């Protein structure tokens, strides 16, 4: 750290890929539910590709158990790679 600081920082810019997690807050007073941020995470850039693969696996598994009444159309789309790039 000290050596790098002494030599000078060569990289002027950095890119952070962040994920924010939200939950709906219920004020218990009849007011509408309000999204509240509960967490922020840094993630590796490979996480997007991995989560797309996991979503594909979920679709595959849902198709393997038709007697459970699940349908892969019920699963939300998940294509984060396009958003990250």
């Amino acid at each position: 750290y000290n050596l790098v600081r002494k030599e000078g920082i060569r990289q002027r810019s950095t890119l952070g890929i962040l994920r924010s997690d939200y939950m709906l807050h219920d004020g218990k007073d009849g007011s509408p539910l309000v999204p509240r941020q509960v967490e922020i995470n840094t993630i590796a850039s490979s996480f997007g590709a991995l989560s797309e693969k996991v979503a594909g696996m979920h679709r595959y598994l849902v198709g393997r158990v038709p007697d459970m009444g699940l349908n892969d159309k019920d699963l939300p789309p998940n294509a984060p790679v396009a958003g990250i790039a």
Side-chain angles (χ1 to χ4, degrees):
Y1 171 81
N2 289 329
L3 178 60
V4 170
R5 297 291 289 176
K6 181 180 174 185
E7 290 177 355
I9 298 173
R10 303 218 190 282
Q11 184 175 334
R12 300 279 180 218
S13 301
T14 59
L15 171 68
I17 300 174
L18 307 174
R19 184 192 82 222
S20 297
D21 295 341
Y22 296 86
M23 294 184 77
L24 292 175
H25 175 72
D26 183 355
K28 305 283 186 197
D29 60 359
S31 60
L33 297 175
V34 178
R36 298 270 173 96
Q37 185 177 22
V38 295
E39 188 174 20
I40 187 166
N41 297 292
T42 59
I43 60 174
S45 58
S46 63
F47 186 77
L50 177 62
S51 63
E52 253 181 62
K53 294 289 187 191
V54 169
M57 180 188 68
H58 288 159
R59 290 183 194 292
Y60 170 78
L61 291 173
V62 163
R64 300 277 298 168
V65 287
D67 56 321
M68 292 190 67
L70 301 172
N71 185 327
D72 69 340
K73 304 270 188 279
D74 297 329
L75 300 175
N78 188 354
V81 171
I84 292 172

